[in-house]
DNA sequence: TCATTTGTTCGGATTCAATTCGGATATGCC
DNA sequence: GGCATATCCGAATTGAATCCGAACAAATGA
């Protein structure tokens, strides 16, 4: 047996509810007290369980954050994945706008619970745990290109994808987190759309 | 007297050396043990002082990280600031490349000491402590536009600046931190240059 | 139904890092 | 040299994370 398997997998409904309550309590505590202020006591108290119970399903506090992370990532994937077929048929700028507005809505749900989390764990979590989102968006990008044959002439797709995806995610989180933003979100969205749009147009017009 | 002024300001040379050693030890410990693994004992040990000494000049561990942050930010500003007059005369793509390569060199100095810090910085810096760098680059942008009068026709400069600066910084850090990058740094640089270049060209050509 | 086994919860006991504090040592100044 | 002040030290304190064994609840099967 693996050494770190003192943890249990919740089987009974009651246990599943406990796990859910703990993860949710994590988000709530994070919103209320920030990262440093989030103690196991707080989480347990908010979840309405005892501290000991946390360790029944999570090896340590870190794993609770991991579970929160997976939850957020899951929500994002769930939001985009099923809409890919529809998204690949859109024009570039509306597509960018659609993704960004939906992303914002998700992050601001429940009083910015997810945003609060993101702004801490942000991206540079030691392991790159945003990987699923990256893969998802890279996948969307590839499918988009396949649906717009002219775009196959674009060079250096992986690099451009990397830039647009990472740059986009960070910029939005950074903006939403800013307590006194100097630019409006709408302008940001338009700017990012133009960025991508002009790039494509510029790159395609290069040799014609 | 301010309430939080149990701290001393180092006056004697010995004390200044101690403070320097502590901050440097912070970077070293961070590289060796990661954030979680960096304890006050480690820092004190690496710095060759006692734990008690840390608290002579820093209110808590957090402040040591703050000092590290200021150090990195200071290095970046120091690197760019004096070269602004020269930078504003460059073409866009070489300018972007120049900035990014210098930024990379800085981050990779001393076995990636600063990079290691930066990759955690999001977590540490709930308040926007990259602000000086943002201001610096925004300033560079404004001066750049003033030296290239056609560019004054660009709309929405603040938003575009926000995107390019934040997107650029994050993308580079993200790339340098990636243990198995799928794109080469050179491609990334070229991509970011094109992104900015095409945007400007596209925006200027819009109505002409 | 009840006995037994297995899953779940509890909260005090333990461990370990952050921070404090009073005393020891070094430095600068006269 | 001797005084005042700056600096440093490290054991003691505090509080959070984690562990653990006992209590409780649910499922099983006769």
């Amino acid at each position: 047996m693996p050494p770190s398997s003192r943890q249990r997998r919740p089987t009974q409904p009651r246990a599943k509810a406990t796990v859910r309550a703990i993860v949710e309590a994590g988000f709530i505590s994070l919103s209320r007290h920030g990262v440093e202020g989030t103690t196991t006591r707080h989480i347990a108290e908010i979840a309405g369980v005892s501290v000991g119970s946390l360790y029944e399903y999570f090896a340590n506090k870190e794993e609770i954050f991991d579970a929160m992370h997976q939850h957020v990532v899951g929500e994002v994937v769930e939001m985009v994945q099923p809409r890919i077929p529809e998204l690949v048929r859109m024009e570039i700028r509306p597509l960018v706008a659609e993704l960004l507005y939906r992303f914002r809505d998700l992050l601001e749900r429940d009083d910015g619970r997810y945003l609060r989390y993101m702004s801490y764990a942000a991206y540079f979590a030691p392991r790159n745990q945003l990987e699923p989102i990256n893969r998802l968006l890279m996948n969307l990008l590839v499918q988009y290109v396949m649906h717009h044959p002219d775009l196959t002439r674009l060079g250096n797709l992986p690099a451009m994808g990397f830039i647009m995806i990472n740059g986009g995610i960070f910029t939005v989180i950074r903006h939403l987190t800013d307590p006194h933003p100097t630019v409006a979100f709408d302008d940001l969205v338009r700017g990012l759309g133009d960025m991508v749009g002009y790039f494509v147009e510029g790159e395609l017009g290069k040799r014609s």
Side-chain angles (χ1 to χ4, degrees), chain A:
Chain A
M1 68 192 80
S4 70
S5 75
R6 185 126 11 87
Q7 273 65 51
R8 199 183 287 277
R9 206 117 298 288
T11 61
Q12 302 180 359
R14 180 171 60 137
K16 286 181 184 163
T18 299
V19 170
R20 230 179 303 116
I22 291 171
V23 174
E24 169 146 21
F27 283 112
I28 295 174
S29 176
L30 203 63
S31 280
R32 283 197 200 149
H33 312 291
V35 206
E36 303 298 325
T38 290
T39 71
T40 51
R41 280 175 210 290
H42 281 318
I43 296 177
E45 193 174 346
I46 295 172
V49 302
S50 139
V51 248
S53 294
L54 304 184
Y55 292 87
E56 208 57 46
Y57 305 102
F58 302 97
N60 48 45
K61 199 166 78 156
E62 181 74 11
E63 277 200 2
I64 297 177
F65 283 99
D66 284 354
M68 290 162 62
H69 197 98
Q70 281 182 248
H71 184 81
V72 179
V73 169
E75 294 266 0
V76 174
V77 172
E78 205 172 299
M79 174 182 80
V80 176
Q81 187 82 271
R83 299 190 52 207
I84 287 187
E86 153 194 4
L87 293 172
V88 294
R89 288 204 222 91
M90 298 176 70
E91 292 294 322
I92 287 180
R93 287 175 176 80
L95 169 57
V96 171
E98 175 67 14
L99 285 174
L100 294 178
Y101 282 118
R102 288 301 145 266
F103 188 44
R104 178 187 65 169
D105 291 346
L106 179 62
L107 290 180
E108 291 190 332
R109 194 188 288 174
D110 292 313
D111 291 315
R113 176 178 293 191
Y114 296 157
L115 175 61
R116 221 68 74 89
Y117 172 79
M118 277 291 185
S119 72
Y120 286 122
Y123 209 70
F124 317 136
R127 347 267 177 119
N128 174 12
Q129 295 195 321
L130 285 192
E131 195 46 34
I133 293 183
N134 273 277
R135 265 204 304 279
L136 172 72
L137 293 178
M138 198 53 104
N139 180 19
L140 172 60
L141 177 60
V142 169
Q143 298 217 28
Y144 190 86
V145 169
M146 296 196 318
H147 273 72
H148 299 255
D150 358 346
L151 300 189
T152 50
R153 287 196 294 132
L154 289 178
N156 211 4
L157 211 59
M160 297 318 296
F162 187 86
I163 293 171
M164 295 185 302
I165 292 170
N166 288 286
I169 293 176
F170 279 130
T171 306
V172 169
I173 292 178
R174 181 88 173 58
H175 180 271
L176 292 178
T177 306
D178 193 338
H180 304 295
T182 54
V183 307
F185 189 76
D186 289 342
D187 290 336
L188 192 72
V189 170
R190 196 151 44 79
L192 282 163
D194 281 341
M195 211 72 152
V196 179
Y198 284 135
F199 167 75
V200 170
E201 292 154 13
E203 190 79 3
L204 291 185
K206 203 163 53 176
R207 307 209 175 161
S208 72

